[in-house]
Amino acid sequence: MTIQQIDHLHFNPQLQTLEISYDYEIIETTQTLFNWTKGTSIFDAHPFFQVLQGFEKNDPTIQDGLNFPCIHLTDLVTDRICDISITFNPSEIKIILFDYTLKYKELNQIAQQKNESILIARELELKNKYLLEKEEFKNSFIANINHEIRTPLTAIMGFVEILEKTHLTFEQEELARIIKRESRHLNALIDDMIDISKIESGTLRVVEERFAFLNLVDGFDESYSKIAEEKGLIFETNIEPGIQEYLIGDRTRTYQIINNILNNAFKFTEEGKITLSVTKNYQRTNKLSLNFKIEDTGLGILEEDIPHLFDRFTRFNLDKRITGTGLGLAIVKNLVDLLNGEIKVESKPDKGTTFNIKLPFKFEITKTTPKRKKKNYSLPESSNKYRILVVEDEEITQFLIMKILIATGNFFIDIAINGQDAITYIERRKYDLILMDLNISQLDGYQVTKMIRNNYGDKFISGLPIIGFSGKSDDATKDKCLKSGMDDFIAKPFEQEELLYKIIKQIAKKAAE
Amino acid sequence: MKLSKKVVLLGHFGVGKTSLFKRFIDNEFSEEYKVTLGVQIKKKVVILPDGRELSMIIWDAEGHSNSVEDTRKSYLLGSHAFIYVFDLTREDTYIHLNKDLTYLKENYKVPTKVLGNKLDLVNEKEMIAALKSKDIPFDCLTSAKTNKNVQQFFSDLSIEITT
């Protein structure tokens, strides 16, 4: 059969047939696809054909011929995608080119889309991984810096409290008061920073707990009435009758939201009145929606500023005497959203501002619980002083705790500067309580606690009251302390009164056993 | 007869095989990703240190999604070397590298050079440490974009396959 006959047989103009000698010279060819010339080397036609060099005439692997799909063949004028079939005959090599350019170009588009979408997805995955790593680094940085700042702050606040109890002139008293106020402010800023970081990373969790709601509102009444008195303002709290005394919800975050708004109201109100009103929106079965309305007669906010009120680092008032980072309301908005609530604001410059916050709660329908009050504890009578082991590596905190405890006249203090030291001390001496910093060298506070609880047959050692303390003030740290076997936890910076209360409580409880 | 060697570029799709191919043959680079369907073949004449001319016939095969075994067998016939390219920024392009190398070694008696591409997007020292820690073998790290190590790699390869 001649070459022309083969072409004719296939009725396919998209086909070119070549006969090649074993010297790789073109013996015969149609010129349907490429204008290759008889008598020239097939290698000059396209480098693909140099594949022929790889096979011997009698190579058994090529007896059935070779098929090469989807080969891009180009010469100076033509660009085609062909399937190539090669047959090794005794006297010549027969090559057939099938032009499937159109078919392959269509497939190419599909492959392009498929591969591109995979590559884009991978790229996004990578970007996401990078952002997560960055976020993790930021969170760990904030957690570390938090610890580093709170430690000296604990010392500053503690020593100011001690200083206030000494004989001071009027001017010295005033200066001590300023240091105390600014330290508290700094502490609040750190809290804000931690919160905003948790909100951003999505690690802030809503807690559902039963809590004394009316007690919470009473707390606002008590603390802000004092501030109102100092500033010459009127402060009122109104609670709609019938609101349950105990509610189920996130007490900490509810407190934080209302406290932040009240704090702002007091910051920006120089005269007049601030009111906190709590009313019911609705109550269905065990669900309840409350509205917290906080009205002030302060500076007010310009209408054009209201849409940006909850943006981070937004401060409209440039009076430098009014401190703040501009994070407070951003946190409030995020917390309200997290609790599935709603916040609205109305304001008129020089007239005042009203915030309305709707928050959902639950309540127990049947259970009635007597009002819980903070129980008073006192040290059991003893002819000896109580001995406390303070496990802390920071000298300044050691000194502060010693000052606070020794001033009461009830305690002896030993100091261990690391976990291993703590173990040595408790094996040598009997203690009534351990104050355990969590972040100590050799063995950390959790490890030491676990060893005390598990490694000693002596019940006096294994049952020692342990209070953990740390610059980390979050619930997770507290939970970890309690799970490791500690009896209580106190966050730095702590107030003297709180520290003493917790120590006395644990010693009294132990004595009662 | 002129000295001629067939070298096939293999590896996952999107690792930069075509970019390396174009950079080596035509000294061109494009940021645009264009999928390769089938295979494109070009020749480059290289002068060997002893003065001989070598025609390097480079086959730029379409990238695979999972394993090098997916590459069409006919493309690999008659090869004198394989270049297995992976993307330094995409772990999925080299995570099964050792398995692919074993397959090539067992089925084709030709050398395989392993090349990590897109060096311009990573920190070289950190990348080398990371590859070593993951037990990923490689012969060269390149950037088709900046031309870093590309010409040297092909020059070394041309010597290796002719001696």
Side-chain angles (χ1 to χ4, degrees):
Chain A
M1 193 183 293
T2 65
I3 290 168
Q4 285 75 14
Q5 283 170 323
I6 294 169
D7 278 5
H8 184 71
L9 189 71
H10 284 85
F11 291 106
N12 189 347
Q14 298 307 101
L15 182 144
Q16 180 166 351
T17 311
L18 300 103
E19 275 179 12
I20 312 293
S21 72
Y22 277 96
D23 293 331
Y24 310 113
E25 193 182 291
I26 302 172
I27 304 167
E28 192 66 73
T29 179
T30 56
Q31 295 189 326
T32 342
L33 304 176
F34 295 94
N35 193 16
W36 294 330
T37 325
K38 280 194 277 184
T40 59
S41 169
I42 187 70
F43 298 158
D44 293 336
H46 192 275
F48 162 78
F49 297 107
Q50 277 186 311
V51 74
L52 298 171
Q53 278 186 309
F55 304 100
E56 297 293 327
K57 192 174 181 179
N58 299 317
D59 191 333
T61 61
I62 54 168
Q63 275 179 354
D64 296 332
L66 296 170
N67 290 298
F68 293 88
C70 200
I71 306 289
H72 294 248
L73 293 177
T74 50
D75 64 10
L76 291 174
V77 286
T78 322
D79 190 353
R80 297 179 192 275
I81 308 171
C82 301
D83 284 1
I84 301 175
S85 168
I86 303 175
T87 314
F88 294 85
N89 294 328
S91 56
E92 85 285 324
I93 304 165
K94 192 160 276 172
I95 300 172
I96 307 174
L97 312 179
F98 300 90
D99 182 11
Y100 290 126
T101 307
L102 285 177
K103 183 190 96 177
Y104 281 128
K105 280 192 172 166
E106 275 173 26
L107 283 175
N108 204 57
Q109 278 180 353
I110 298 166
Q112 179 81 26
Q113 281 170 359
K114 185 188 137 216
N115 288 7
E116 264 179 11
S117 66
I118 293 172
L119 289 174
I120 288 168
R122 296 259 162 80
E123 197 181 337
L124 287 173
E125 220 172 81
L126 208 71
K127 275 184 186 164
N128 195 33
K129 195 179 159 203
Y130 168 72
L131 288 175
L132 285 175
E133 277 172 8
K134 215 170 135 186
E135 186 64 30
E136 207 173 291
F137 170 76
K138 189 193 79 184
N139 288 338
S140 115
F141 173 77
I142 288 176
N144 287 331
I145 204 80
N146 168 36
H147 177 259
E148 295 304 321
I149 295 172
R150 280 197 209 262
T151 302
L153 195 59
T154 306
I156 294 168
M157 289 173 77
F159 285 119
V160 169
E161 278 193 55
I162 293 170
L163 191 66
E164 278 178 324
K165 286 175 186 163
T166 62
H167 296 288
L168 300 174
T169 63
F170 176 75
E171 193 187 1
Q172 286 167 336
E173 252 181 40
E174 186 60 15
L175 293 173
R177 196 183 61 78
I178 292 168
I179 296 172
K180 196 173 176 181
R181 187 190 67 204
E182 293 305 307
S183 303
R184 278 186 177 153
H185 176 61
L186 181 57
N187 194 34
L189 291 185
I190 297 167
D191 286 340
D192 279 359
M193 199 172 73
I194 301 284
D195 278 343
I196 208 86
S197 143
K198 279 185 184 170
I199 287 165
E200 271 192 1
S201 62
T203 53
L204 196 74
R205 300 273 172 261
V206 174
V207 177
E208 266 210 354
E209 58 181 354
R210 185 172 172 276
F211 69 97
F213 175 72
L214 296 183
N215 203 299
L216 179 86
V217 181
D218 286 349
F220 288 129
D221 190 46
E222 198 179 313
S223 51
Y224 281 99
S225 291
K226 277 184 199 164
I227 300 169
E229 204 180 310
E230 282 170 18
K231 281 193 88 170
L233 298 169
I234 299 164
F235 178 59
E236 270 182 21
T237 53
N238 307 311
I239 306 173
E240 185 182 315
I243 291 178
Q244 286 74 359
E245 187 179 351
Y246 286 87
L247 293 179
I248 297 165
D250 194 323
R251 184 198 181 279
T252 311
R253 301 303 166 194
T254 306
Y255 171 85
Q256 207 176 349
I257 292 166
I258 308 304
N259 190 50
N260 239 314
I261 303 285
L262 280 173
N263 202 16
N264 256 18
F266 275 87
K267 253 191 221 172
F268 297 106
T269 307
E270 288 306 317
E271 55 184 38
K273 188 176 170 184
I274 294 164
T275 314
L276 165 65
S277 308
V278 188
T279 51
K280 274 186 192 177
N281 292 315
Y282 67 82
Q283 179 178 325
R284 279 183 213 119
T285 56
N286 67 334
K287 287 176 184 163
L288 174 77
S289 168
L290 294 182
N291 189 71
F292 299 82
K293 186 178 186 181
I294 295 146
E295 282 175 286
D296 68 51
T297 55
L299 293 173
I301 307 155
L302 292 170
E303 203 179 336
E304 63 264 31
D305 289 339
I306 289 179
H308 307 290
L309 195 62
F310 299 112
D311 294 351
R312 277 167 211 171
F313 305 109
T314 301
R315 295 197 62 202
F316 302 121
N317 192 291
L318 298 175
D319 186 342
K320 285 191 177 171
R321 287 170 302 172
I322 301 172
T323 55
T325 53
L327 285 175
L329 286 178
I331 292 171
V332 164
K333 175 77 172 85
N334 278 289
L335 291 178
V336 170
D337 288 346
L338 199 70
L339 297 179
N340 293 320
E342 208 180 298
I343 183 163
K344 282 183 182 165
V345 58
E346 289 164 18
S347 189
K348 278 189 180 163
D350 299 325
K351 297 277 179 198
T353 305
T354 303
F355 280 90
N356 276 293
I357 302 152
K358 284 181 188 170
L359 292 178
F361 296 93
K362 288 179 189 165
F363 61 91
E364 287 169 340
I365 299 171
T366 50
K367 204 169 176 179
T368 53
T369 313
K371 201 171 185 175
R372 283 182 204 162
K373 278 188 178 171
K374 195 175 178 181
K375 202 173 165 183
N376 281 325
Y377 293 96
S378 53
L379 282 172
E381 280 189 21
S382 167
S383 51
N384 295 323
K385 287 184 182 181
Y386 291 92
R387 188 170 288 279
I388 292 179
L389 178 64
V390 178
V391 189
E392 167 62 275
D393 53 358
E394 296 272 352
E395 259 183 49
I396 199 78
T397 314
Q398 293 167 5
F399 185 49
L400 171 67
I401 294 172
M402 280 173 72
K403 271 271 186 191
I404 295 170
L405 298 185
I406 289 170
T408 65
N410 294 321
F411 304 105
F412 285 126
I413 311 295
D414 282 338
I415 304 280
I417 56 165
N418 59 49
Q420 195 52 56
D421 263 10
I423 294 291
T424 312
Y425 273 88
I426 59 154
E427 285 176 354
R428 280 192 198 154
R429 230 175 196 171
K430 285 194 168 182
Y431 290 97
D432 296 292
L433 184 134
I434 301 176
L435 261 181
M436 179 89 71
D437 185 22
L438 304 179
N439 192 18
I440 44 171
S441 60
Q442 295 187 12
L443 297 164
D444 66 27
Y446 305 112
Q447 288 171 308
V448 177
T449 304
K450 279 180 188 162
M451 286 174 75
I452 291 171
R453 295 289 182 245
N454 302 324
N455 294 2
Y456 296 91
D458 182 348
K459 280 192 176 172
F460 193 85
I461 295 179
S462 62
L464 256 171
I466 302 173
I467 300 174
F469 66 100
S470 165
K472 290 181 182 170
S473 55
D474 55 305
D475 291 342
T477 308
K478 187 180 175 183
D479 285 350
K480 200 175 167 189
C481 280
L482 299 180
K483 275 182 190 160
S484 73
M486 294 182 199
D487 300 280
D488 205 347
F489 169 79
I490 185 164
K492 291 178 192 173
F494 42 74
E495 307 243 329
Q496 283 187 36
E497 209 179 296
E498 193 191 2
L499 178 68
L500 288 170
Y501 176 82
K502 292 203 175 216
I503 290 173
I504 293 167
K505 178 183 169 186
Q506 290 306 326
I507 293 176
K509 277 174 78 177
K510 182 73 185 166
E513 283 174 11
Chain B
M1 183 184 272
K2 279 182 188 170
L3 196 55
S4 161
K5 299 286 179 188
K6 173 184 171 184
V7 176
V8 187
L9 284 158
L10 299 168
H12 275 249
F13 66 84
V15 296
K17 294 184 293 298
T18 305
S19 294
L20 284 162
F21 175 80
K22 285 186 174 165
R23 175 60 83 186
F24 173 59
I25 308 272
D26 304 317
N27 200 19
E28 284 174 358
F29 178 80
S30 164
E31 291 277 0
E32 194 186 357
Y33 169 64
K34 273 191 176 175
V35 73
T36 305
L37 203 68
V39 65
Q40 42 186 346
I41 303 146
K42 279 192 177 180
K43 178 173 82 176
K44 178 154 178 167
V45 176
V46 177
I47 309 294
L48 294 168
D50 58 12
R52 284 182 299 162
E53 280 189 3
L54 167 68
S55 290
M56 287 185 93
I57 315 295
I58 312 288
W59 286 46
D60 172 26
E62 68 184 10
H64 59 77
S65 303
N66 298 307
S67 160
V68 77
E69 290 182 47
D70 300 338
T71 308
R72 288 180 171 113
K73 305 284 180 286
S74 60
Y75 294 173
L76 307 180
L77 289 173
S79 300
H80 296 93
F82 299 135
I83 303 170
Y84 189 106
V85 186
F86 67 86
D87 181 342
L88 291 166
T89 68
R90 280 165 57 204
E91 198 175 348
D92 59 308
T93 66
Y94 58 83
I95 202 81
H96 301 302
L97 174 64
N98 283 312
K99 200 177 146 213
D100 282 348
L101 291 180
T102 306
Y103 168 80
L104 291 172
K105 197 176 172 185
E106 284 174 357
N107 292 280
Y108 303 90
K109 310 294 174 206
V110 294
T112 301
K113 308 303 279 182
V114 179
L115 202 152
N117 191 36
K118 305 193 185 177
L119 186 56
D120 52 291
L121 298 177
V122 297
N123 177 301
E124 188 170 355
K125 275 187 186 170
E126 284 175 13
M127 199 66 227
I128 291 172
L131 292 172
K132 282 186 178 166
S133 74
K134 288 171 188 162
D135 201 21
I136 303 295
F138 60 91
D139 294 291
C140 187
L141 303 185
T142 56
S143 165
K145 185 175 178 177
T146 64
N147 202 11
K148 188 172 181 182
N149 299 337
V150 178
Q151 305 305 328
Q152 188 61 48
F153 170 78
F154 279 99
S155 170
D156 292 346
L157 179 67
S158 67
I159 295 167
E160 191 176 329
I161 57 178
T162 50
T163 50

